[in-house]
């Protein structure tokens, strides 16, 4: 199973949204969700959290997942298990990941995260 997440934030008012793309046996499942207003880095963590909540709600615990993010701070924080600035968000994300059988986190270039990015952009317009 593959999970792609991305966040979009409007700089002038910090409105944020998440794009979540789950690929299960070749089938794509697309989700977009309004997030609390925040800066982009916080929104990336919140998008990852929303992605894992959606994954666990849809497929239950004990799934194995490749998690892809274009946020270096999310990928590095997960790898280290530490973040000074985003400790609360990281703890929530790691708790969700612990419910999975296996999680392999991979940073990818923004250009390789197009599906989740488009969904996040669409999510910004959900609260219009």
């Amino acid at each position: 199973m593959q999970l792609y997440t991305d966040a979009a934030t409007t700089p002038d008012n910090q409105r944020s949204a998440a794009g979540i793309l789950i690929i299960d046996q070749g089938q794509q499942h697309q989700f977009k969700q309004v997030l609390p207003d925040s800066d982009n880095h916080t929104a990336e963590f919140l998008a990852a959290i929303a992605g894992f909540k959606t994954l666990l709600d849809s497929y239950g615990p004990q799934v194995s997942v490749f998690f892809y993010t274009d946020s270096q701070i999310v990928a590095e924080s997960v790898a280290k298990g530490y973040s000074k600035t985003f400790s609360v968000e990281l703890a929530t994300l790691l708790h969700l990941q612990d419910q999975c059988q296996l999680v392999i986190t991979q940073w990818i270039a923004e250009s390789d995260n197009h599906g989740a990015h488009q969904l996040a952009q669409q999510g910004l317009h959900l609260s219009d």
Side-chain angles (χ1 to χ4, degrees):
M1 187 161 313
Q2 298 169 300
L3 170 64
Y4 295 80
T5 65
D6 195 22
T9 301
T10 307
D12 57 339
N13 61 12
Q14 296 197 318
R15 286 191 27 213
S16 299
I20 301 160
L21 179 61
I22 297 172
I23 301 175
D24 177 30
Q25 299 177 351
Q27 293 285 100
Q28 284 193 19
H29 306 277
Q30 301 178 353
F31 305 89
K32 49 192 169 241
Q33 178 178 324
V34 174
L35 297 173
D37 292 354
S38 60
D39 63 87
N40 191 59
H41 289 308
T42 303
E44 291 287 357
F45 276 96
L46 296 176
I49 289 166
F52 273 92
K53 284 182 177 177
T54 301
L55 180 77
L56 291 165
D57 288 347
S58 300
Y59 297 96
Q62 298 305 309
V63 294
S64 295
V65 60
F66 287 95
F67 168 50
Y68 298 100
T69 177
D70 62 17
S71 169
Q72 283 189 305
I73 193 154
V74 169
E76 290 172 3
S77 297
V78 167
K80 293 186 292 188
Y82 174 79
S83 173
K84 181 178 180 181
T85 307
F86 304 102
S87 59
V88 172
E89 294 85 359
L90 178 61
T92 302
L93 178 57
L94 291 176
H95 173 73
L96 292 166
Q97 288 186 349
D98 285 346
Q99 297 174 49
C100 298
Q101 183 174 345
L102 174 68
V103 177
I104 298 173
T105 300
Q106 178 71 48
W107 176 83
I108 57 174
E110 191 173 311
S111 60
D112 294 329
N113 203 18
H114 187 71
H117 177 77
Q118 285 297 107
L119 292 165
Q121 291 293 323
Q122 293 170 15
L124 283 176
H125 303 291
L126 289 176
S127 61
D128 284 347

